[in-house]
Amino acid sequence: MRQLAVVVLAAGEGTRMKSATPKVLHTLAGMPLIGHVLATASSLGANHVICVLRHEKEKVAAYVGEHFPKVEIAHQDEVPGTGRAVEAALEVLPAGFDGDVVVLSGDVPLLDVQSVSELLARHRESASKGTLVTCELENPAGYGRVLRARENLIGIVEQKDASAEQLEITEVNAGVYVFDFALLSETLARVGTNNAQGEKYLTDVAGMMLEAGQLVQAHMIADPWLVSGVNDRHQLSNVARELNARIVKAWQLAGVTIVEPESTWMDITVQIGQDAIIKPSTRLHGLTRIGPGAQIGPDTDLTDTEVGEGAKVVRTHGEGAAIDAGATVGPFSYLRPGTRLGSDGKIGAFVETKNAAIGAGAKVPHLSYVGDAEVGEGANIGAGTIFANYDGEKKHRTKVGAHARTGSGNVFVAPVEIGNGAYTAAGSTIRRNVEPGALALNPTPQKNLAGWVLEKRPGSASAKAATEGTE
Ligand code: UD1
Ligand code: CA
């Protein structure tokens, strides 16, 4: 069995992105472009996966190191061009490496494992020295064009070096190749920089190998999206829309109802159970997991949030939250990290929660802030309650016991505990612990100033209303 190395090119400047973030770290379906390509590269059973870096290499290397620790890093020097990048990668290979080198571009994110495997199989079966992926595009602008004499491949010409006639060619180079290692190294050493961009082009290798009488083939792929390169933000959003459509379709075919695919976005990392219903304008990000039969949306954004079986989440913004089976959330709820809602619990309209464990069957139905709290099972928090967790310097915790009933318009001044089964009266400010089963109330005596409106607001609608029917 021949050895295999996969090289991922990610050292380009990505100037067309016009961004402080390196191009390959721009995200697509929740993962940087380079993550998509490295995921493919890592699934080919290669002996080495090498990522070539230069521009903003610390940031990219940090991502690669964290998410793909087995990937080796090569550093490109100041000589620009994809050919130079591959040379840098080959230097990382141990002496005695012999076999095939697959080259992938860090900015061609949709190319899948199957397509690359087919490319490699074809390359090996035909004993080619080089095989390059090509595709027919309606609009080939920006890509290198595939040059043929009659049917025979003769090379690749870059857009910027192409004649008017060559620009008419619609078969493009996808920037994805397999080469024989020895012949690739030998040929790269001879590639110059005499072209419109003054770069050492990898694309020159194909033509030079052919000139030397070696077998080089084009492997045409029918689906243009698979070879789409991302050079600017417009292309990024086009590729993102297409990938999203594919992710949505895959979940539909797996038994998820997605009411309006066009307004639904899901990262590639999201998981959804069967018979879940995803309503319009819903966006699911990161490690979000939706349980079977759950209903999400409309107008909901969830990031790294777990939703249990049969739960309902309506018009909600959630991040780092867990919602257990059968619970209901929304509309207009804001779940911040560390929110945990127990099974069959409820977080209702205009409620914000953070670092809060709300027990099974417990309810926070209306207009409240629950921060740094534990609410016991079956408890009910009255409308308009504020968990005052912040003393201006530190955060403190509030504990509400199981089956407690707290009144409307309460303020719980943390740290404070309300015992199991305790009640608090409407309008209370709770500063001291409440023992289990007690009723806490701290009413300020109410004073009514009779006739105040008639005296201070004579002739007003209120004054009239106050006097009508009284004479
Ligand atoms: C390249 C191809 C072009 C092909 C297109 C497909 C060359 C010369 N041209 O053009 O034929 O149609 O891809 O998408 O190869 N890179 C480096 N080091 C560098 C320059 C680039 O590692 O010095 C990396 C980039 O980070 C990127 C990839 O190589 O991931 C492609 O570079 P880019 O500048 O985008 O090439 P294109 O102009 O798109
Ligand atoms: Ca490109």
Side-chain angles (χ1 to χ4, degrees):
M1 192 63 183
R2 285 170 69 78
Q3 287 192 289
L4 178 65
V6 181
V7 173
V8 176
L9 304 183
E13 263 190 83
T15 38
R16 287 166 278 181
M17 292 303 277
K18 305 212 166 96
S19 176
T21 302
K23 171 166 81 174
V24 294
L25 290 187
H26 279 256
T27 55
L28 175 67
M31 197 191 268
L33 294 176
I34 190 74
H36 290 267
V37 180
L38 288 175
T40 301
S42 304
S43 304
L44 297 167
N47 307 85
H48 300 272
V49 177
I50 303 165
C51 185
V52 190
L53 303 180
R54 183 166 66 104
H55 184 73
E56 294 271 17
K57 68 180 172 200
E58 293 76 19
K59 287 186 201 165
V60 185
Y63 172 80
V64 176
E66 188 182 342
H67 297 272
F68 297 91
K70 288 189 190 146
V71 169
E72 299 162 65
I73 303 282
H75 299 282
Q76 187 177 349
D77 60 15
E78 61 292 335
V79 179
T82 46
R84 187 63 173 181
V86 172
E87 268 187 313
L90 299 188
E91 278 170 22
V92 169
L93 290 172
F97 176 88
D98 192 24
D100 297 310
V101 179
V102 166
V103 178
L104 304 177
S105 285
D107 65 349
V108 179
L110 299 194
L111 195 67
D112 58 340
V113 177
Q114 195 191 330
S115 302
V116 184
S117 303
E118 283 166 13
L119 166 75
L120 185 59
R122 168 150 177 205
H123 175 84
R124 285 178 165 172
E125 277 156 23
S126 59
S128 293
K129 295 295 182 186
T131 306
L132 50 118
V133 173
T134 73
C135 187
E136 283 284 349
L137 294 188
E138 246 168 67
N139 176 10
Y143 289 87
R145 308 298 206 280
V146 175
L147 304 178
R148 292 176 183 268
R150 304 239 167 75
E151 290 297 288
N152 298 325
L153 187 64
I154 52 173
I156 300 164
V157 63
E158 288 305 288
Q159 163 102 14
K160 287 190 176 143
D161 301 296
S163 65
E165 199 183 332
Q166 288 169 333
L167 288 176
E168 299 292 312
I169 298 170
T170 51
E171 187 185 2
V172 304
N173 169 37
V176 172
Y177 324 74
V178 197
F179 292 108
D180 170 74
F181 166 75
L183 193 62
L184 174 63
S185 344
E186 193 182 297
T187 312
L188 273 173
R190 294 191 284 119
V191 173
T193 57
N194 184 18
N195 51 57
Q197 303 185 86
E199 292 185 0
K200 191 159 182 170
Y201 290 163
L202 177 60
T203 46
D204 285 352
V205 166
M208 289 165 72
M209 284 184 176
L210 285 160
E211 252 169 51
Q214 303 290 351
L215 179 60
V216 178
Q217 297 197 78
H219 176 71
M220 203 188 285
I221 285 188
D223 179 353
W225 287 108
L226 295 185
V227 306
S228 273
V230 173
N231 299 305
D232 58 40
R233 297 188 205 221
H234 184 63
Q235 289 172 332
L236 177 62
S237 69
N238 285 340
V239 168
R241 196 192 314 110
E242 178 61 25
L243 176 55
N244 188 61
R246 292 178 185 212
I247 293 170
V248 164
K249 182 175 176 189
W251 284 118
Q252 288 176 316
L253 299 181
V256 175
T257 295
I258 294 172
V259 177
E260 190 178 74
E262 309 77 59
S263 70
T264 303
W265 289 81
M266 351 185 119
D267 287 350
I268 202 160
T269 40
V270 164
Q271 296 288 327
I272 311 176
Q274 200 173 311
D275 286 320
I277 301 177
I278 311 296
K279 298 185 181 175
S281 294
T282 290
R283 290 154 292 263
L284 305 176
H285 299 294
L287 298 176
T288 294
R289 283 178 210 294
I290 307 299
Q295 296 189 28
I296 313 295
D299 300 332
T300 293
D301 272 63
L302 300 178
T303 302
D304 299 334
T305 290
E306 282 182 39
V307 180
E309 183 164 356
K312 275 191 193 171
V313 182
V314 182
R315 283 185 216 281
T316 288
H317 188 96
E319 197 177 332
I323 299 158
D324 288 351
T328 63
V329 176
F332 308 109
S333 305
Y334 179 25
L335 312 186
R336 292 166 52 199
T339 296
R340 165 141 229 141
L341 177 61
S343 53
D344 301 314
K346 176 180 171 115
I347 292 175
F350 304 105
V351 172
E352 173 178 343
T353 59
K354 184 213 76 173
N355 209 2
I358 298 167
K363 293 181 177 164
V364 188
H366 332 272
L367 299 157
S368 294
Y369 172 63
V370 185
D372 299 306
E374 187 182 325
V375 175
E377 65 172 56
N380 189 85
I381 304 299
T385 293
I386 303 300
F387 285 57
N389 58 333
Y390 186 44
D391 63 11
E393 286 182 348
K394 288 194 186 118
K395 303 284 170 73
H396 302 279
R397 296 190 62 80
T398 299
K399 196 171 165 192
V400 177
H403 298 283
R405 296 274 177 274
T406 69
S408 295
N410 278 197
V411 178
F412 301 143
V413 183
V416 73
E417 287 192 18
I418 294 159
N420 289 344
Y423 275 50
T424 64
S428 300
T429 298
I430 304 297
R431 298 174 187 276
R432 289 191 292 130
N433 292 352
V434 181
E435 59 272 30
L439 167 68
L441 67 170
N442 54 12
T444 39
Q446 178 171 322
K447 218 156 79 176
N448 295 348
L449 303 181
W452 187 92
V453 174
L454 302 186
E455 190 184 318
K456 301 287 190 192
R457 305 281 185 269
S460 69
S462 305
K464 261 188 219 155
T467 48
E468 253 165 38
T470 61
E471 279 158 24

